[in-house]
Structure formats: structure tokens, C-alpha cells
Amino acid sequence: MNRITILLLGVATLSGAAVFTTTVSHRAVAQEAAPVFVTTIPPGYRDWRVVSVAHEAGELNDIRAVLGNDIAIKAYRESKLPFPEGAIVGRIAWGYVASEENNKSFGREQSFVAGPPTDAYLQFMVKDSKKYAATGGWGYSSFDKDGKPTDEAAMKKCFPCHQAVKDRDFVFTRYAP
Amino acid sequence: MNRITILLLGVATLSGAAVFTTTVSHRAVAQEAAPVFVTTIPPGYRDWRVVSVAHEAGELNDIRAVLGNDIAIKAYRESKLPFPEGAIVGRIAWGYVASEENNKSFGREQSFVAGPPTDAYLQFMVKDSKKYAATGGWGYSSFDKDGKPTDEAAMKKCFPCHQAVKDRDFVFTRYAP
């Protein structure tokens, strides 16, 4: 190699090292600073389209609608995985309440409807692969009926549980036809 | 009375009679010709916003989302009764299915989700006070998973049952917060 080549290689190596160092330190800072849990309610969520519905019995004792913003609904309908950046999947949970009015009309005890908001009224998963890299690319959030975020200790349970459906990009709910 | 007054009264009476006759015959024709039951699925219903959710146990054994078109949702949110012309309230009913996947994650048997479409998959109430005057201003419709309308004999049960909630313009489902 001539002196010019050696000089250029030296410069390239130095640049590479500098880039590497910058990337590593940037990542370290991002992981330290990144909020893994989301503490704001996405505006307009009550206008989102339906992904599906469910009833959780037991202690939760709720009936729920799972909704998606436009990005999430599009991905669901196209069976696109992983979900694109900006996708938000939300769920609203209401108390699971027997409807005396409906039962009277049906002539039997069979009807359960949405009652008042539950303690874990609203939950959202927000897709941002960089910001929430530590939790599978999703930021998790949960709010009570007054919009107060659930405490961070409880929120640490979200991601470990959602790992059960890693092959569906950590999203439990399937799209209902 | 002078002759002019008598003449005018005579003309007014005749006009009234004519108007009355026209109205009656128009109504009679409308009632004969009007389709009380709707046989087309409103386009885009799967994009409508959520009114509420419910679970019907017993023979129906479904979990359902009640949706509204823009006119219906606006009326619901403004607590406006009766619903304006053009309002449509729809509901999708899926089979009520235990989710083994969710139960595994929760560590207990508690989770019920939306399964395949039911026999009475889709139902709609369409507000048109004139067209559906005979059934409280609402046209009723019901479709199976293949889009086939429910037979007319069964549809005749809709309006009598909905009369139980005449004070809410014949609509059972309340808006969930």
C-alpha cells in the first residue's frame, strides 16, 4: 500500500470508531432516558374503529372493546406484522353488568352490558420501535376513569406477559371479522 | 254572516277535505308500498364508532359490538332524542368463545373473546320517519354471516319488542362512556 492508501484507511478506521462510539453512547442515553410507559391518553381514541370485543370474568369482571387507530386497523386488516410505527391498539373496559331491562324483553336472564368505567378503564400499546426498544417496540399505558396513569410498578408486568404472543408482535387481540 | 264569509268558509271546508283525503290516500299507499324491513347492509358499517358492547348468554351465546353511523353517534353523544333522520344503529354479534391463550396468560379461566360470526351476525335499525312510519320510524334488518337477510316472519318480532323502550326512541343500547 502506498502512503495515501494507508492514510485514508487510518482516517476511515478513526471515523468508524467515532461513529461506533456515538451510536453506543446514544443508545445508552436513549435507554436511560426513554419512557417505557406512556402517560398520556391518545386523543380521539373513542372514535377509533373496533378490533374486537371481550369479556374478562374473575377479578377484572369487565366487558371491553379493543380499538385501533388508523395505522393499527390497516395493519390488522392486511394481516401485516410487525405493526408499523405509530400503530396504537387501545382497549376500554367497562363494568360487566346484568341488564334487567334487556332480560325483561328477552324473557330470561341472559343479557350483560357495559356499566361504568373500571379501575383500569383505558389501556394502550403505542408502537415506536426506537423509543420503546426495551419493551418489544411497544410503549404500554393504563389509566383509571379519571385519566390517572397506573403506577409504574404495575406497568412493569405488561411486557413480560405480552411476550407470550411475541409471534403476533406482542398483541393478544385478533381482529374480529 | 254575509255571503262572502259563507262562500269563503265553503271554500276552506272543501280545501280541508281535499287535503285530508290526499293525506289519507297518500298514507295508505305509503303503508302498502313501504318496505318495513331493510334488506341491504349499510356500506362501511365496520368502520363505524362504538356505542357499546354486550354479552348475550343463553341460546344466543354471543358477544357483540353496537356501532353507530356518524348521525347516530352524534345524537347519542348529545343525548338527542328522537334520533335524526338517517341515523343507523348497528350491531355485530360474534360467537362467545373461551380464549385458552388468554387464560394461560392470566393464569385462570376468565377470558371470553369474539369467535366466528353468529347466525344473526348483523342487525341494523335505520331511521326514516316516513318510510318506516308503521314501525316507529325505524326500519329493521338482520343478516347472517353470508349477508342473507333474515326471513320476514322473524323480522316482525323486532318492533313489538323494541316498544319496551319507546321513551328512548325504541333503541335499547345506551352509549358507553
Side-chain angles (χ1 to χ4, degrees):
Chain A
M1 289 193 279
N2 61 27
R3 279 167 59 185
I4 290 172
T5 307
I6 290 168
L7 188 66
L8 284 174
L9 267 175
V11 169
T13 307
L14 276 171
S15 307
V19 167
F20 180 76
T21 309
T22 308
T23 307
V24 167
S25 76
H26 181 73
R27 267 194 201 148
V29 169
Q31 277 189 347
E32 268 178 70
V36 174
F37 312 114
V38 186
T39 52
T40 50
I41 296 172
Y45 74 88
R46 191 61 183 75
D47 291 334
W48 293 354
R49 285 172 279 177
V50 177
V51 176
S52 192
V53 292
H55 164 48
E56 296 299 337
E59 280 173 35
L60 289 174
N61 197 34
D62 68 45
I63 189 159
R64 42 180 65 194
V66 175
L67 310 176
N69 70 354
D70 288 348
I71 299 170
I73 289 289
K74 191 171 182 287
Y76 261 121
R77 291 180 178 175
E78 294 172 358
S79 303
K80 193 177 175 182
L81 286 175
F83 282 86
E85 301 298 309
I88 311 180
V89 179
R91 77 113 186 82
I92 311 177
W94 299 278
Y96 182 70
V97 174
S99 168
E100 294 311 323
E101 182 174 72
N102 291 2
N103 288 340
K104 209 171 156 186
S105 288
F106 279 118
R108 59 186 82 89
E109 304 288 313
Q110 69 163 53
S111 190
F112 300 89
V113 298
T118 61
D119 288 342
Y121 179 41
L122 301 174
Q123 291 190 342
F124 300 94
M125 292 174 67
V126 180
K127 188 67 180 274
D128 186 326
S129 300
K130 283 180 192 164
K131 199 169 174 184
Y132 308 116
T135 50
W138 291 97
Y140 292 86
S141 69
S142 180
F143 306 89
D144 71 10
K145 66 176 170 19
D146 302 314
K148 195 185 149 225
T150 304
D151 64 275
E152 208 169 303
M155 294 305 292
K156 285 184 179 161
K157 295 175 190 167
C158 298
F159 179 55
C161 185
H162 279 257
Q163 278 184 316
V165 283
K166 191 180 175 181
D167 62 336
R168 295 209 306 277
D169 197 20
F170 307 101
V171 176
F172 276 98
T173 303
R174 296 166 195 265
Y175 186 83
Chain B
M1 290 189 278
N2 61 27
R3 278 168 58 187
I4 290 173
T5 308
I6 290 168
L7 188 66
L8 282 175
L9 267 175
V11 170
T13 307
L14 276 173
S15 307
V19 167
F20 180 75
T21 309
T22 307
T23 307
V24 166
S25 75
H26 181 75
R27 268 195 200 146
V29 169
Q31 276 189 351
E32 266 178 72
V36 175
F37 311 113
V38 186
T39 52
T40 50
I41 296 172
Y45 75 88
R46 192 60 184 75
D47 290 334
W48 293 354
R49 287 172 277 178
V50 178
V51 177
S52 193
V53 293
H55 163 47
E56 296 300 335
E59 278 172 36
L60 288 174
N61 197 35
D62 69 44
I63 189 159
R64 42 180 64 196
V66 176
L67 311 176
N69 70 354
D70 289 348
I71 299 171
I73 288 289
K74 190 170 182 288
Y76 262 121
R77 290 180 179 174
E78 294 172 358
S79 302
K80 193 177 174 182
L81 285 177
F83 283 85
E85 300 299 308
I88 310 180
V89 179
R91 77 114 185 81
I92 311 176
W94 298 277
Y96 183 71
V97 174
S99 168
E100 294 312 321
E101 182 174 73
N102 292 2
N103 288 340
K104 209 172 156 186
S105 288
F106 279 119
R108 61 186 81 89
E109 304 288 314
Q110 70 163 54
S111 190
F112 300 88
V113 298
T118 61
D119 287 343
Y121 178 41
L122 300 175
Q123 290 190 343
F124 300 93
M125 291 174 68
V126 180
K127 188 68 181 271
D128 186 326
S129 298
K130 283 181 192 162
K131 199 170 175 183
Y132 308 117
T135 49
W138 292 97
Y140 293 85
S141 68
S142 180
F143 306 90
D144 71 9
K145 64 177 172 18
D146 301 314
K148 194 186 150 224
T150 304
D151 65 276
E152 209 170 302
M155 294 305 292
K156 284 184 178 161
K157 296 176 189 166
C158 298
F159 179 55
C161 185
H162 279 257
Q163 278 185 316
V165 284
K166 190 180 175 179
D167 63 334
R168 294 209 305 280
D169 197 19
F170 306 101
V171 176
F172 276 98
T173 303
R174 296 165 195 267
Y175 187 82

